[in-house]
Each structure stands twice: as C-alpha cells, then as structure tokens.
Amino acid sequence: MEPSVFSVIGCQHGHIASFIEKMLGMGHRCAGIFEEDGEDRGLAVTLSDRFGIPLLDAIDDALAEDVSVVGCAAVNSRKIDVAELCEARGKHIMLDKPAVTNRAGLERLRGVVGRGRIEVGMLLTQRFHAGVYTLKSLIGEGALGRLVSLDMRKPHRLNAGDRPDWFFDHARSGGIIQDLLVHDLDLLRWLTGSEIADMQGYMAKRILPEHPGFYDAAALNARLADGTLAQLYADWHTPARSWTWGDGRIFAVGTAGSAELRLQGDPWGAREPMLLLSSDVEALHPVPLRRPPVSLYADFMNRLRGGAPVLSGEDVLLASAAAVDADERAARIERA
C-alpha cells in the first residue's frame, strides 16, 4: 500500500500515541495534531515533541487535501462530531473508544457507517491481542468442545488525580460500561460468532461523591443467540501499588475443556500474557500463543483498499450499540 498522510484531531487520551507510532512505523506521514480551543493541550504538546510532528493551529489543516486518514482521541462525547466532519470532507477515521456516549450519538454513528462514504475504525485492540487471537483459534478448532460460557474481568487503576474533569462526567465520557466493557462486548460477538440476544446489569458507585455521575464498578450478564452465557465485569479499583494497571482475565468454559487467559501474565511469574488450557484429554498446561496475522492499524489500512477486515465498520457500530444498550439498561446502585 502506498504511504498515506494522516492527522490527529483531538488528543485527550494516551491511546492516540499508539495510533501515531504505528502509522509512522508503517511508513505513513503525519500532517500534525489539532486540539480544540479550551481543551488541555498537554498531551498534544508531549506527542508533538516525542514524534517530531507539528501542532496545527486550524482544524482545516488537519483536513487538508492530502490527508486521507484522521485519528481521533477527542473528549468522548465530541468524537461523533469529528466523525461527521471527516465524512463531509471524505477522510477515513480511526476513533479511540468509545466512539459515542449515548443513543443520539449512536444513531449518528449508524448514519456515518451506513452511508459508506468513509471507513470508520475504533481502537478495539483486544481482537489483535495474541492471547485473545489464540483463544479464538482454540474455540474455532473445537479444543473446548461446544462453548458454554465466557467470563471477562477488566479491573483498572483509576489514578483519579491525573484524570481530566470530563472523565468523571457521564454525559461527556460515557461511563464505565461504554469506556471499558465496549472491548468485551465486541469480543463476545467475535469469539462466539453469534450476536448478543439479551443483556442486563448493574453499575455501582462507592467513591468520589463530588462526582455524582461517576460509577466505579459494573457487572453485566448476557446471553448470545447461540445460547452461550457471558458475565462481564469492570472496575476502577486496581490498587495503586498493584503489579499492573489491571489484571484482566478471560475464562472460557466448554463441554470438553476450559481455558483461562491472563491478559497481563502472572504477578509471581512471567509478566507476559498466559493462556492456560485443560480438557478431557489434557491436564492444565500453558498454550503457546499465536501471533495474529495482522495488526489493528494494518487491518484498518487494508480495509481502505478493499481488503476483508478483521474489524469492520459494522463491528464498530455493533460494539457501540451493545455498549449504549448495556449502559441504558444497567441499574444504578449507590452505597456510602
């Protein structure tokens, strides 16, 4: 693929550093970073210095004729505005997650994806994680028998003092389900090849009374159309002295075996992803991880030239829809 020119509009989360780094690593050129007036420019300045790319004074410079792809890590509630602007200018867009924060934004995203004028990507990185890819391969090969259930845990460290004010505002951030569990809602579809048929859950608040709309834990129960059951959990309670920012795990149970994926490895051993498998014919043992055939960013760029994607615009839309649905349905629990 010929090198492309890309830009960044909105630089409010460190995830965008990966987009810049990987795009430059694939030989593409960055026209620069634009940050809206009134937003914190600290990260934009840091990344400009780190990668030697310019800070742009006008949004039109980030949408110049030679720019074909825009990366966006704006305040979550503003991302859909950037996506629609990119559609109007004919620029493909890679969004940090979540892409939208409410039902109105979801319908606008549905319009952008449905019209098909541009490709819409999102940083749903888990599909391209070696451990998750290996687990999907094992499920597809029947190593677990017929899949019975999936249990996904996604604890995170909060570092509240380092977070911007908008992060604690549900209307602007989307909240814990849309911010964190959108990954897992996407994986439910990908790992099972089935659609989410039913879902219910809770969001709990135990900290930060000064931010009444901020919930710090969430639990969802889901049923896939093929009958697979799923339990998803996320929180902002990983201790400050924890060995990792979040000890994420995935448990898969089948009729002939079970697997545990330790996404961050083991605190007493290797700090690399570990996939443990036991079955009716094999005792518990680690499984060598398989390298995904393509990265998230290469997959997106392949999509621009008509290749069959691992993650499509429709996948982005359906993951976003599941997260909005779950957020709307979740009962709110507040305890002092």
Side-chain angles (χ1 to χ4, degrees), residues 166-307:
W166 65 263
F167 172 82
F168 300 100
D169 179 355
H170 188 278
R172 300 183 74 194
S173 73
I176 188 170
I177 290 176
Q178 297 186 78
D179 187 13
L180 298 183
L181 289 181
V182 66
H183 282 292
D184 305 278
L185 292 165
D186 176 60
L187 288 187
L188 288 185
R189 300 183 56 250
W190 193 57
L191 291 173
T192 65
S194 185
E195 298 299 328
I196 299 171
D198 189 32
M199 184 164 42
Q200 56 186 318
Y202 299 92
M203 287 194 294
K205 179 173 183 60
R206 300 206 178 198
I207 59 174
L208 301 180
E210 66 272 27
H211 297 294
F214 177 75
Y215 288 79
D216 48 271
L220 303 177
N221 287 319
R223 175 178 59 85
L224 281 295
D226 67 357
T228 302
L229 304 178
Q231 303 81 40
L232 311 182
Y233 173 79
D235 67 41
W236 289 108
H237 292 292
T238 293
R241 296 293 298 273
S242 172
W243 66 285
T244 177
W245 55 266
D247 188 6
R249 305 202 181 195
I250 299 176
F251 301 87
V253 176
T255 57
S258 62
E260 176 188 348
L261 175 56
R262 301 180 180 181
L263 292 163
Q264 298 300 310
D266 188 296
W268 305 111
R271 301 290 179 90
E272 298 294 332
M274 296 176 59
L275 180 57
L276 304 175
L277 175 67
S278 62
S279 70
D280 291 341
V281 296
E282 291 183 288
L284 184 69
H285 64 282
V287 177
L289 300 187
R290 308 177 190 180
R291 186 181 183 88
V294 66
S295 71
L296 167 67
Y297 305 100
D299 181 65
F300 182 68
M301 297 306 288
N302 288 341
R303 196 186 340 155
L304 304 192
R305 60 180 182 185

Side-chain angles (χ1 to χ4, degrees), residues 5-322:
V5 178
F6 70 96
S7 66
V8 172
I9 298 177
C11 200
Q12 293 296 305
H13 197 292
H15 291 153
I16 200 65
S18 173
F19 170 77
I20 296 171
E21 180 179 19
K22 299 303 183 183
M23 290 290 284
L24 291 174
M26 291 190 294
H28 306 298
R29 180 174 69 83
C30 186
I33 301 171
F34 174 78
E35 187 58 87
E36 292 187 78
D37 291 339
E39 300 295 352
D40 185 352
R41 293 171 60 90
L43 181 58
V45 171
T46 296
L47 296 181
S48 172
D49 292 342
R50 173 180 168 185
F51 293 108
I53 54 180
L55 290 173
L56 305 176
D57 295 324
I59 197 168
D60 282 346
D61 294 335
L63 297 165
E65 184 176 354
D66 62 341
V67 171
S68 61
V69 175
V70 171
C72 177
V75 172
N76 296 344
S77 59
R78 296 299 306 276
K79 290 173 187 170
I80 187 60
D81 298 334
V82 179
E84 289 179 332
L85 178 61
C86 285
E87 182 190 28
R89 299 292 188 90
K91 313 298 183 184
H92 306 293
I93 187 167
M94 174 66 82
L95 297 159
D96 185 22
K97 53 80 193 171
V100 298
T101 59
N102 56 33
R103 178 71 53 181
L106 176 64
E107 294 311 310
R108 292 166 65 187
L109 178 64
R110 194 183 309 278
V112 173
V113 173
R115 286 187 290 270
R117 297 170 187 163
I118 63 170
E119 292 292 341
V120 178
M122 188 159 68
L123 298 185
L124 293 173
T125 54
Q126 294 290 281
R127 288 192 182 209
F128 304 88
H129 185 288
V132 179
Y133 174 75
T134 305
L135 177 60
K136 177 176 173 58
S137 299
L138 293 175
I139 292 171
E141 293 162 5
L144 305 182
R146 295 183 63 191
L147 196 60
V148 175
S149 70
L150 289 167
D151 185 353
M152 304 185 189
R153 295 185 60 82
K154 193 174 293 299
H156 273 62
R157 184 183 294 141
L158 179 57
N159 293 335
D162 297 331
R163 302 280 181 174
D165 288 343
W166 65 263
F167 172 82
F168 300 100
D169 179 355
H170 188 278
R172 300 183 74 194
S173 73
I176 188 170
I177 290 176
Q178 297 186 78
D179 187 13
L180 298 183
L181 289 181
V182 66
H183 282 292
D184 305 278
L185 292 165
D186 176 60
L187 288 187
L188 288 185
R189 300 183 56 250
W190 193 57
L191 291 173
T192 65
S194 185
E195 298 299 328
I196 299 171
D198 189 32
M199 184 164 42
Q200 56 186 318
Y202 299 92
M203 287 194 294
K205 179 173 183 60
R206 300 206 178 198
I207 59 174
L208 301 180
E210 66 272 27
H211 297 294
F214 177 75
Y215 288 79
D216 48 271
L220 303 177
N221 287 319
R223 175 178 59 85
L224 281 295
D226 67 357
T228 302
L229 304 178
Q231 303 81 40
L232 311 182
Y233 173 79
D235 67 41
W236 289 108
H237 292 292
T238 293
R241 296 293 298 273
S242 172
W243 66 285
T244 177
W245 55 266
D247 188 6
R249 305 202 181 195
I250 299 176
F251 301 87
V253 176
T255 57
S258 62
E260 176 188 348
L261 175 56
R262 301 180 180 181
L263 292 163
Q264 298 300 310
D266 188 296
W268 305 111
R271 301 290 179 90
E272 298 294 332
M274 296 176 59
L275 180 57
L276 304 175
L277 175 67
S278 62
S279 70
D280 291 341
V281 296
E282 291 183 288
L284 184 69
H285 64 282
V287 177
L289 300 187
R290 308 177 190 180
R291 186 181 183 88
V294 66
S295 71
L296 167 67
Y297 305 100
D299 181 65
F300 182 68
M301 297 306 288
N302 288 341
R303 196 186 340 155
L304 304 192
R305 60 180 182 185
V310 174
L311 179 71
S312 69
E314 184 69 10
D315 291 326
V316 170
L317 177 62
L318 290 172
S320 300

Side-chain angles (χ1 to χ4, degrees), residues 177 185 199 201 203 220 321-332:
I177 290 176
L185 292 165
M199 184 164 42
M203 287 194 294
L220 303 177
V324 170
D325 288 345
D327 177 75
E328 290 178 343
R329 295 185 186 189
R332 271 62 168 171

